[in-house]
Amino acid sequence: MTNTPTLETERLILRQFNEKDMEALLAIYKDKEVNTYLPWFPLTSIEEAKAFYKDHYAVAYQQPYGYRYAVCLKEDNVPIGYVHVSMEEAHDFGYGLRKEFWHQGIISEASKAVVEQLRKDGFRFITATHDVKNSRSGNVMKQLGMQYKYSYEEQWQPKDILVTFRLYQLNFDGLNDRVYDKYWNTSKVHFIETDL
């Protein structure tokens, strides 16, 4: 395995962010609506974008392997979104996209390519969570073949707000009964919704 190997789809190039992408990175992370369901606060300047890149990307790219993708249209190779996979035990799958590119299937297309790479690289499973108020994100998870497992409450940081999350999981090895239960076990409020 390598760190964030470049991938291509019909419309997209998925690659590492680099130091030339600071304006594009700022454009992705500055929009308040886009960041409503993300843990961090919107960025407000190129300086903040550079610091964010250093803390969240440059450090990650120094590791032996990882998956922190910039999602770019082939026509200009400029980042308009991202797909990430955590290397922690949950293998949390996350994504974001500039608002003007919503409703075009871009994140689903990018995410499917990353999922296939994870499958090739021997991952046993991935998880993903979304705020119950953000059902569109849950729809992406379903399109990827992920299955709903449970819901739980978390005091989300650094925004320090109480959020009810739904956890989805995709098991690559056929063990569909496996459930990543850390959030269930650590949350005082957890339950299974039956009407999804």
Side-chain angles (χ1 to χ4, degrees):
M1 292 188 293
T2 58
N3 194 314
T4 314
T6 299
L7 306 174
E8 289 193 19
T9 69
E10 182 179 352
R11 296 181 291 175
L12 307 171
I13 296 172
L14 309 179
R15 60 166 176 82
Q16 291 186 2
F17 282 98
N18 61 57
E19 292 181 353
K20 297 178 182 178
D21 294 325
M22 293 307 101
E23 289 188 9
L25 194 72
L26 177 60
I28 294 166
Y29 284 99
K30 74 178 181 180
D31 188 287
K32 291 182 180 179
E33 188 174 352
V34 171
N35 280 273
T36 299
Y37 301 110
L38 300 177
W40 38 76
F41 295 99
L43 303 181
T44 61
S45 68
I46 285 289
E47 289 70 28
E48 286 186 1
K50 289 178 179 178
F52 191 88
Y53 168 78
K54 180 180 178 182
D55 293 342
H56 293 269
Y57 290 99
V59 171
Y61 293 148
Q62 293 175 4
Q63 303 306 310
Y65 58 92
Y67 306 84
R68 296 189 70 80
Y69 282 99
V71 176
C72 310
L73 295 174
K74 281 185 174 178
E75 58 201 50
D76 58 14
N77 199 23
V78 174
I80 59 172
Y82 62 84
V83 176
H84 298 161
V85 185
S86 165
M87 293 298 97
E88 297 177 1
E89 63 179 353
H91 300 307
D92 182 60
F93 194 95
Y95 38 79
L97 185 68
R98 282 172 46 190
K99 184 168 54 180
E100 55 265 46
F101 296 99
W102 287 1
H103 312 303
Q104 299 177 38
I106 289 172
I107 280 299
S108 292
E109 183 176 329
S111 295
K112 287 175 183 177
V114 176
V115 164
E116 282 310 304
Q117 186 65 41
L118 296 171
R119 190 189 307 272
K120 290 177 185 176
D121 288 346
F123 274 65
R124 293 188 306 137
F125 72 93
I126 56 173
T127 68
T129 59
H130 74 85
D131 187 319
V132 295
K133 298 174 185 176
N134 187 16
S135 59
R136 288 185 181 139
S137 186
N139 291 338
V140 172
M141 296 171 194
K142 292 174 185 176
Q143 290 173 16
L144 296 175
M146 304 187 82
Q147 296 179 334
Y148 168 76
K149 298 299 183 181
Y150 59 84
S151 303
Y152 65 98
E153 287 186 357
E154 179 182 338
Q155 194 70 26
W156 216 19
Q157 302 298 335
K159 289 183 176 176
D160 197 27
I161 54 175
L162 184 63
V163 178
T164 301
F165 287 106
R166 292 184 182 129
L167 179 131
Y168 282 75
Q169 186 165 328
L170 176 59
N171 294 321
F172 295 115
D173 54 11
L175 299 178
N176 292 328
D177 291 336
R178 182 199 296 114
V179 177
Y180 180 77
D181 60 4
K182 181 176 180 179
Y183 306 135
W184 176 279
N185 292 334
T186 56
S187 174
K188 293 181 180 179
V189 178
H190 53 250
F191 50 93
I192 295 175
E193 299 176 67
T194 58
D195 56 348
L196 296 180

